[in-house]
Amino acid sequence: MAEFSLIERYCQDIGSTHSSTKIGVGDDAAVVQVPSGQELVISVDTMVEGVHFTRQTSAELIAHKLAAVNLSDMAAMGARPMWATLALTIASIEDNWLNAFSSSLDSITCAYGVQLIGGDTTRGPLTLTMQIMGLVKEGYAITRTKSSPGDDVYVSGLIGDPGLALAAIDGKVTLSKSDLKLLRERLDRPTPQVELGLRLSGLATACIDISDGVLADLTHIAKMSAVGMQLDLDKLPLSATYRNYLDNGGSLDIALTGGDDYQLAFSAPVHQRDNLNTIADQLNVPISRIGKVTAPTGVLLEMRYLGKPYTVESGAGYQHFS
Ligand code: ADP
Ligand code: MG
Protein backbone atom coordinates (compact mmCIF):
# COMPACT_ATOMS: atom_id res chain seq x y z
CA MET A 1 0.00 0.00 0.00
CA ALA A 2 1.26 3.47 -0.80
CA GLU A 3 1.92 5.92 2.00
CA PHE A 4 -0.94 8.13 0.85
CA SER A 5 -3.60 5.45 1.02
CA LEU A 6 -2.22 4.40 4.40
CA ILE A 7 -2.73 7.93 5.67
CA GLU A 8 -6.20 8.14 4.13
CA ARG A 9 -7.22 4.81 5.54
CA TYR A 10 -5.79 4.99 9.04
CA CYS A 11 -5.02 8.58 9.92
CA GLN A 12 -7.93 10.57 8.53
CA ASP A 13 -11.08 11.41 10.52
CA ILE A 14 -9.63 10.40 13.86
CA GLY A 15 -11.10 11.94 16.99
CA SER A 16 -13.56 14.79 17.38
CA THR A 17 -14.26 17.52 14.83
CA HIS A 18 -13.71 21.13 15.88
CA SER A 19 -14.99 24.13 13.95
CA SER A 20 -11.79 25.90 15.00
CA THR A 21 -9.81 23.44 12.86
CA LYS A 22 -9.45 25.27 9.56
CA ILE A 23 -7.23 22.68 7.85
CA GLY A 24 -6.65 19.13 9.09
CA VAL A 25 -5.01 16.00 7.64
CA GLY A 26 -4.23 16.26 3.92
CA ASP A 27 -2.47 19.56 3.34
CA ASP A 28 1.16 20.48 3.93
CA ALA A 29 0.33 21.62 7.44
CA ALA A 30 -2.69 22.01 9.68
CA VAL A 31 -4.28 25.34 10.55
CA VAL A 32 -6.21 25.97 13.75
CA GLN A 33 -7.82 29.02 15.24
CA VAL A 34 -6.98 29.97 18.82
CA PRO A 35 -10.00 31.81 20.27
CA SER A 36 -9.22 35.28 21.57
CA GLY A 37 -8.45 35.37 25.27
CA GLN A 38 -7.05 31.84 25.18
CA GLU A 39 -3.55 30.43 24.94
CA LEU A 40 -2.19 27.37 23.17
CA VAL A 41 -0.64 24.70 25.42
CA ILE A 42 1.67 22.26 23.63
CA SER A 43 3.36 19.04 24.64
CA VAL A 44 4.92 16.01 22.93
CA ASP A 45 5.67 12.45 24.02
CA THR A 46 7.42 9.57 22.27
CA MET A 47 6.99 5.84 22.81
CA VAL A 48 9.65 3.45 21.53
CA GLU A 49 9.35 -0.32 21.24
CA GLY A 50 11.65 -1.96 23.75
CA VAL A 51 11.65 1.10 26.00
CA HIS A 52 8.02 2.04 26.65
CA PHE A 53 6.36 -1.17 25.51
CA THR A 54 7.35 -4.62 24.29
CA ARG A 55 6.87 -6.45 21.01
CA GLN A 56 3.96 -8.26 22.68
CA THR A 57 2.05 -5.07 23.54
CA SER A 58 -1.09 -4.80 21.42
CA ALA A 59 -1.60 -1.95 18.96
CA GLU A 60 -4.77 -1.11 20.88
CA LEU A 61 -2.89 -0.55 24.14
CA ILE A 62 -0.06 1.36 22.46
CA ALA A 63 -2.52 3.83 20.94
CA HIS A 64 -4.38 4.22 24.22
CA LYS A 65 -1.26 4.88 26.25
CA LEU A 66 0.26 7.22 23.65
CA ALA A 67 -2.83 9.41 23.81
CA ALA A 68 -3.26 9.01 27.57
CA VAL A 69 0.24 10.20 28.48
CA ASN A 70 -0.18 13.22 26.23
CA LEU A 71 -3.62 13.99 27.63
CA SER A 72 -2.15 13.74 31.11
CA ASP A 73 0.25 16.60 30.29
CA MET A 74 -2.72 18.74 29.28
CA ALA A 75 -4.43 17.79 32.54
CA ALA A 76 -1.38 18.85 34.52
CA MET A 77 -1.49 22.29 32.90
CA GLY A 78 -5.22 22.70 33.42
CA ALA A 79 -5.70 22.86 29.65
CA ARG A 80 -8.54 21.57 27.49
CA PRO A 81 -7.00 19.16 24.95
CA MET A 82 -8.05 20.02 21.39
CA TRP A 83 -5.67 18.85 18.67
CA ALA A 84 -2.99 16.24 18.14
CA THR A 85 -0.44 15.33 15.51
CA LEU A 86 1.06 11.88 15.15
CA ALA A 87 4.51 10.87 13.89
CA LEU A 88 4.31 7.19 13.14
CA THR A 89 7.40 5.11 12.39
CA ILE A 90 6.54 1.51 11.48
CA ALA A 91 8.67 -1.37 10.24
CA SER A 92 6.10 -2.51 7.68
CA ILE A 93 2.48 -1.98 6.76
CA GLU A 94 0.36 -4.51 8.63
CA ASP A 95 -3.31 -3.87 8.15
CA ASN A 96 -4.43 -5.67 11.29
CA TRP A 97 -2.02 -3.69 13.42
CA LEU A 98 -2.89 -0.36 11.79
CA ASN A 99 -6.61 -1.05 12.04
CA ALA A 100 -6.40 -1.82 15.75
CA PHE A 101 -4.12 1.15 16.36
CA SER A 102 -6.29 3.56 14.45
CA SER A 103 -9.60 2.52 16.00
CA SER A 104 -8.16 2.62 19.52
CA LEU A 105 -6.71 6.06 18.85
CA ASP A 106 -10.10 7.16 17.53
CA SER A 107 -11.90 5.98 20.69
CA ILE A 108 -9.64 7.73 23.16
CA THR A 109 -9.32 10.96 21.16
CA CYS A 110 -13.11 11.08 20.73
CA ALA A 111 -13.60 10.43 24.43
CA TYR A 112 -11.46 13.46 25.30
CA GLY A 113 -12.55 15.75 22.47
CA VAL A 114 -9.26 15.74 20.58
CA GLN A 115 -8.95 15.94 16.79
CA LEU A 116 -6.02 14.41 14.90
CA ILE A 117 -4.99 17.15 12.48
CA GLY A 118 -1.77 15.89 10.95
CA GLY A 119 1.38 13.89 11.28
CA ASP A 120 4.13 12.09 9.49
CA THR A 121 4.61 8.47 8.46
CA THR A 122 7.99 6.82 8.02
CA ARG A 123 9.52 3.35 7.87
CA GLY A 124 11.75 2.20 10.72
CA PRO A 125 11.73 0.59 14.17
CA LEU A 126 8.31 1.04 15.79
CA THR A 127 8.26 4.52 17.31
CA LEU A 128 5.27 6.73 17.98
CA THR A 129 5.31 10.40 18.74
CA MET A 130 2.22 12.37 19.56
CA GLN A 131 2.11 16.08 19.92
CA ILE A 132 -0.91 17.43 21.72
CA MET A 133 -2.25 20.96 21.76
CA GLY A 134 -4.81 22.38 24.13
CA LEU A 135 -6.40 25.64 25.16
CA VAL A 136 -6.35 27.49 28.42
CA LYS A 137 -7.76 30.88 29.42
CA GLU A 138 -5.00 33.47 29.12
CA GLY A 139 -2.79 33.35 32.23
CA TYR A 140 -4.57 30.30 33.68
CA ALA A 141 -2.14 27.49 32.82
CA ILE A 142 -1.14 25.72 36.05
CA THR A 143 2.64 25.66 36.27
CA ARG A 144 5.09 24.01 38.66
CA THR A 145 6.32 27.29 40.06
CA LYS A 146 3.75 28.83 42.37
CA SER A 147 3.49 26.54 45.39
CA SER A 148 3.82 28.59 48.54
CA PRO A 149 4.45 27.78 52.19
CA GLY A 150 1.21 26.90 53.97
CA ASP A 151 -0.42 25.32 50.89
CA ASP A 152 -1.77 21.79 51.13
CA VAL A 153 -0.31 19.01 48.95
CA TYR A 154 -2.68 16.59 47.20
CA VAL A 155 -2.67 13.64 44.85
CA SER A 156 -5.60 12.33 42.82
CA GLY A 157 -6.73 8.72 42.46
CA LEU A 158 -4.66 5.81 43.73
CA ILE A 159 -0.88 5.74 43.65
CA GLY A 160 1.46 2.80 43.21
CA ASP A 161 -0.41 0.12 41.28
CA PRO A 162 1.37 0.64 37.92
CA GLY A 163 4.75 0.64 39.70
CA LEU A 164 3.86 -2.55 41.51
CA ALA A 165 2.80 -4.13 38.22
CA LEU A 166 6.16 -3.20 36.66
CA ALA A 167 8.04 -4.61 39.64
CA ALA A 168 6.10 -7.87 39.29
CA ILE A 169 6.76 -8.04 35.54
CA ASP A 170 10.48 -7.51 36.26
CA GLY A 171 10.33 -10.38 38.77
CA LYS A 172 11.16 -8.12 41.72
CA VAL A 173 7.95 -8.92 43.57
CA THR A 174 5.58 -11.87 43.40
CA LEU A 175 1.85 -11.30 43.07
CA SER A 176 -1.07 -13.66 42.63
CA LYS A 177 -2.28 -14.12 39.05
CA SER A 178 -5.49 -12.20 39.68
CA ASP A 179 -3.67 -9.31 41.40
CA LEU A 180 -1.18 -9.06 38.57
CA LYS A 181 -3.99 -8.99 36.01
CA LEU A 182 -5.70 -6.17 37.89
CA LEU A 183 -2.54 -4.10 38.28
CA ARG A 184 -1.44 -4.68 34.68
CA GLU A 185 -4.65 -3.08 33.57
CA ARG A 186 -3.77 -0.03 35.68
CA LEU A 187 -0.30 0.09 34.08
CA ASP A 188 -1.53 -0.40 30.52
CA ARG A 189 -4.60 1.78 30.62
CA PRO A 190 -3.91 4.99 32.53
CA THR A 191 -6.83 7.38 32.94
CA PRO A 192 -5.67 10.95 32.37
CA GLN A 193 -7.33 13.35 34.83
CA VAL A 194 -8.32 15.94 32.25
CA GLU A 195 -11.56 17.10 33.90
CA LEU A 196 -9.83 17.45 37.26
CA GLY A 197 -7.02 19.47 35.67
CA LEU A 198 -9.58 21.82 34.13
CA ARG A 199 -11.25 22.35 37.50
CA LEU A 200 -7.87 22.97 39.19
CA SER A 201 -7.05 25.87 36.91
CA GLY A 202 -7.36 29.08 38.93
CA LEU A 203 -7.39 27.06 42.15
CA ALA A 204 -4.22 24.95 42.41
CA THR A 205 -0.98 26.87 42.91
CA ALA A 206 1.12 24.21 41.14
CA CYS A 207 0.39 20.91 39.43
CA ILE A 208 2.24 18.04 37.77
CA ASP A 209 1.19 14.67 36.40
CA ILE A 210 2.83 11.71 38.09
CA SER A 211 4.86 9.92 35.45
CA ASP A 212 8.22 9.42 37.20
CA GLY A 213 6.92 8.60 40.68
CA VAL A 214 5.11 10.83 43.14
CA LEU A 215 8.33 11.77 44.98
CA ALA A 216 10.30 12.67 41.86
CA ASP A 217 7.39 14.68 40.53
CA LEU A 218 6.70 16.53 43.78
CA THR A 219 10.43 17.26 43.92
CA HIS A 220 10.05 19.03 40.56
CA ILE A 221 7.36 21.28 42.05
CA ALA A 222 9.37 21.89 45.24
CA LYS A 223 12.49 22.84 43.25
CA MET A 224 10.71 25.03 40.75
CA SER A 225 8.63 26.77 43.41
CA ALA A 226 11.64 27.07 45.75
CA VAL A 227 9.76 25.50 48.68
CA GLY A 228 9.94 22.41 50.86
CA MET A 229 7.22 19.84 51.47
CA GLN A 230 6.25 17.75 54.48
CA LEU A 231 4.53 14.55 53.43
CA ASP A 232 2.45 12.28 55.65
CA LEU A 233 2.84 8.96 53.84
CA ASP A 234 0.10 7.33 55.91
CA LYS A 235 -2.27 9.45 53.80
CA LEU A 236 -0.98 8.12 50.48
CA PRO A 237 -3.98 6.62 48.63
CA LEU A 238 -3.20 2.94 47.98
CA SER A 239 -5.34 0.21 46.45
CA ALA A 240 -6.43 -2.85 48.41
CA THR A 241 -3.96 -4.85 46.33
CA TYR A 242 -1.08 -2.56 47.25
CA ARG A 243 -2.10 -2.66 50.93
CA ASN A 244 -2.13 -6.41 50.77
CA TYR A 245 1.40 -6.37 49.33
CA LEU A 246 2.44 -4.05 52.22
CA ASP A 247 0.84 -6.33 54.80
CA ASN A 248 2.91 -9.17 53.41
CA GLY A 249 6.19 -7.37 54.01
CA GLY A 250 6.19 -5.17 50.90
CA SER A 251 7.66 -1.67 50.79
CA LEU A 252 6.06 1.71 50.22
CA ASP A 253 9.00 2.66 47.99
CA ILE A 254 7.45 1.27 44.82
CA ALA A 255 4.40 3.49 45.27
CA LEU A 256 6.66 6.48 45.91
CA THR A 257 9.10 5.98 43.04
CA GLY A 258 7.46 3.57 40.59
CA GLY A 259 5.72 6.09 38.39
CA ASP A 260 3.39 5.59 35.44
CA ASP A 261 0.48 6.64 37.68
CA TYR A 262 -0.69 9.53 35.49
CA GLN A 263 -2.54 10.99 38.43
CA LEU A 264 -2.18 14.66 39.34
CA ALA A 265 -0.06 15.93 42.23
CA PHE A 266 -0.80 19.53 43.16
CA SER A 267 -0.74 22.19 45.83
CA ALA A 268 -3.58 24.50 46.82
CA PRO A 269 -4.24 27.09 49.51
CA VAL A 270 -5.94 25.87 52.69
CA HIS A 271 -9.08 27.94 52.00
CA GLN A 272 -9.73 25.77 48.91
CA ARG A 273 -10.26 22.56 50.94
CA ASP A 274 -14.08 22.63 50.73
CA ASN A 275 -13.99 23.57 47.06
CA LEU A 276 -11.65 20.68 46.32
CA ASN A 277 -13.85 18.20 48.18
CA THR A 278 -16.84 19.36 46.15
CA ILE A 279 -14.90 18.98 42.90
CA ALA A 280 -13.73 15.50 43.89
CA ASP A 281 -17.34 14.51 44.64
CA GLN A 282 -18.68 16.00 41.43
CA LEU A 283 -16.07 14.31 39.25
CA ASN A 284 -16.08 11.13 41.29
CA VAL A 285 -12.26 11.32 41.43
CA PRO A 286 -10.82 10.84 44.92
CA ILE A 287 -8.25 13.39 46.01
CA SER A 288 -6.07 12.89 49.08
CA ARG A 289 -4.38 15.59 51.12
CA ILE A 290 -0.95 14.10 51.76
CA GLY A 291 1.05 17.00 53.11
CA LYS A 292 1.96 20.65 53.41
CA VAL A 293 4.21 23.09 51.61
CA THR A 294 6.84 24.67 53.83
CA ALA A 295 9.44 27.37 53.55
CA PRO A 296 12.57 26.00 51.83
CA THR A 297 14.70 23.87 54.12
CA GLY A 298 17.77 21.78 53.36
CA VAL A 299 15.65 18.86 52.16
CA LEU A 300 13.02 19.27 49.47
CA LEU A 301 10.71 16.53 50.76
CA GLU A 302 10.44 15.56 54.40
CA MET A 303 8.48 12.36 54.90
CA ARG A 304 6.84 10.67 57.88
CA TYR A 305 5.33 7.21 57.92
CA LEU A 306 3.89 5.24 60.87
CA GLY A 307 4.95 7.98 63.25
CA LYS A 308 8.61 8.07 62.14
CA PRO A 309 10.72 9.93 59.61
CA TYR A 310 10.90 7.97 56.35
CA THR A 311 13.55 7.70 53.66
CA VAL A 312 13.38 5.83 50.38
CA GLU A 313 15.86 3.02 49.83
CA SER A 314 15.67 2.55 46.12
CA GLY A 315 16.47 6.00 44.73
CA ALA A 316 14.20 8.41 42.88
CA GLY A 317 11.95 7.93 39.84
CA TYR A 318 12.75 6.54 36.42
CA GLN A 319 15.32 8.42 34.40
CA HIS A 320 16.13 7.54 30.80
CA PHE A 321 19.76 8.60 30.92
CA SER A 322 20.82 7.64 34.42
P1 ADP B 1 4.59 16.06 3.57
O1 ADP B 1 5.35 15.33 2.52
O2 ADP B 1 4.10 17.40 3.21
O3 ADP B 1 5.24 15.98 4.92
P2 ADP B 1 3.02 13.76 4.19
O4 ADP B 1 2.92 12.86 3.01
O5 ADP B 1 3.96 13.39 5.27
O6 ADP B 1 3.20 15.25 3.70
O7 ADP B 1 1.59 13.87 4.83
C1 ADP B 1 0.45 14.18 4.05
C2 ADP B 1 -0.66 14.62 4.97
O8 ADP B 1 -1.02 13.54 5.83
C3 ADP B 1 -0.27 15.78 5.88
O9 ADP B 1 -1.42 16.58 6.08
C4 ADP B 1 0.11 15.11 7.16
O10 ADP B 1 -0.11 15.96 8.26
C5 ADP B 1 -0.81 13.90 7.16
N1 ADP B 1 -0.22 12.75 7.85
C6 ADP B 1 0.86 12.02 7.51
N2 ADP B 1 1.09 11.02 8.37
C7 ADP B 1 0.14 11.12 9.31
C8 ADP B 1 -0.16 10.42 10.50
N3 ADP B 1 0.56 9.36 10.90
N4 ADP B 1 -1.23 10.82 11.23
C9 ADP B 1 -1.96 11.88 10.87
N5 ADP B 1 -1.75 12.59 9.75
C10 ADP B 1 -0.72 12.24 8.99
MG1 MG C 1 5.75 14.14 5.95
Side-chain angles (χ1 to χ4, degrees), residues 34 50 115 158 246 250 285 292:
V34 177
Q115 181 174 13
L158 296 173
L246 274 185
V285 173
K292 286 213 81 66

mmCIF file of all heavy atoms in Angstrom, residues 34 50 115 158 246 250 285 292:
data_model
loop_
_atom_site.group_PDB
_atom_site.id
_atom_site.type_symbol
_atom_site.label_atom_id
_atom_site.label_comp_id
_atom_site.label_asym_id
_atom_site.label_seq_id
_atom_site.Cartn_x
_atom_site.Cartn_y
_atom_site.Cartn_z
ATOM 1 N N VAL A 34 -6.995 29.860 17.356
ATOM 2 C CA VAL A 34 -6.978 29.968 18.815
ATOM 3 C C VAL A 34 -7.938 31.093 19.195
ATOM 4 O O VAL A 34 -7.753 32.232 18.784
ATOM 5 C CB VAL A 34 -5.553 30.276 19.336
ATOM 6 C CG1 VAL A 34 -5.551 30.462 20.844
ATOM 7 C CG2 VAL A 34 -4.593 29.161 18.937
ATOM 8 N N GLY A 50 10.479 -1.516 22.997
ATOM 9 C CA GLY A 50 11.647 -1.962 23.749
ATOM 10 C C GLY A 50 11.980 -1.045 24.914
ATOM 11 O O GLY A 50 12.746 -1.416 25.799
ATOM 12 N N GLN A 115 -8.942 16.236 18.225
ATOM 13 C CA GLN A 115 -8.954 15.940 16.792
ATOM 14 C C GLN A 115 -7.530 15.727 16.285
ATOM 15 O O GLN A 115 -6.642 16.536 16.553
ATOM 16 C CB GLN A 115 -9.605 17.124 16.041
ATOM 17 C CG GLN A 115 -9.685 16.898 14.543
ATOM 18 C CD GLN A 115 -10.452 18.006 13.826
ATOM 19 O OE1 GLN A 115 -10.732 19.070 14.384
ATOM 20 N NE2 GLN A 115 -10.763 17.745 12.562
ATOM 21 N N LEU A 158 -5.476 6.739 42.937
ATOM 22 C CA LEU A 158 -4.663 5.811 43.725
ATOM 23 C C LEU A 158 -3.249 5.834 43.169
ATOM 24 O O LEU A 158 -3.055 5.977 41.966
ATOM 25 C CB LEU A 158 -5.215 4.385 43.610
ATOM 26 C CG LEU A 158 -6.613 4.134 44.176
ATOM 27 C CD1 LEU A 158 -7.078 2.732 43.819
ATOM 28 C CD2 LEU A 158 -6.629 4.351 45.683
ATOM 29 N N LEU A 246 1.779 -4.642 51.041
ATOM 30 C CA LEU A 246 2.438 -4.046 52.217
ATOM 31 C C LEU A 246 2.308 -4.954 53.443
ATOM 32 O O LEU A 246 3.287 -5.186 54.162
ATOM 33 C CB LEU A 246 1.795 -2.703 52.554
ATOM 34 C CG LEU A 246 2.265 -1.432 51.856
ATOM 35 C CD1 LEU A 246 1.564 -0.229 52.458
ATOM 36 C CD2 LEU A 246 3.771 -1.263 51.953
ATOM 37 N N GLY A 250 5.785 -6.022 52.016
ATOM 38 C CA GLY A 250 6.193 -5.168 50.898
ATOM 39 C C GLY A 250 6.581 -3.773 51.366
ATOM 40 O O GLY A 250 6.356 -3.407 52.524
ATOM 41 N N VAL A 285 -13.702 11.613 41.429
ATOM 42 C CA VAL A 285 -12.263 11.324 41.435
ATOM 43 C C VAL A 285 -11.762 11.590 42.852
ATOM 44 O O VAL A 285 -11.841 12.725 43.315
ATOM 45 C CB VAL A 285 -11.502 12.245 40.453
ATOM 46 C CG1 VAL A 285 -10.001 12.051 40.581
ATOM 47 C CG2 VAL A 285 -11.946 11.994 39.013
ATOM 48 N N LYS A 292 1.955 19.183 53.366
ATOM 49 C CA LYS A 292 1.956 20.651 53.412
ATOM 50 C C LYS A 292 3.203 21.200 52.735
ATOM 51 O O LYS A 292 4.254 20.577 52.753
ATOM 52 C CB LYS A 292 2.005 21.121 54.879
ATOM 53 C CG LYS A 292 0.721 20.967 55.636
ATOM 54 C CD LYS A 292 0.512 22.070 56.692
ATOM 55 C CE LYS A 292 -0.013 23.371 56.122
ATOM 56 N NZ LYS A 292 -1.362 23.323 55.580
#
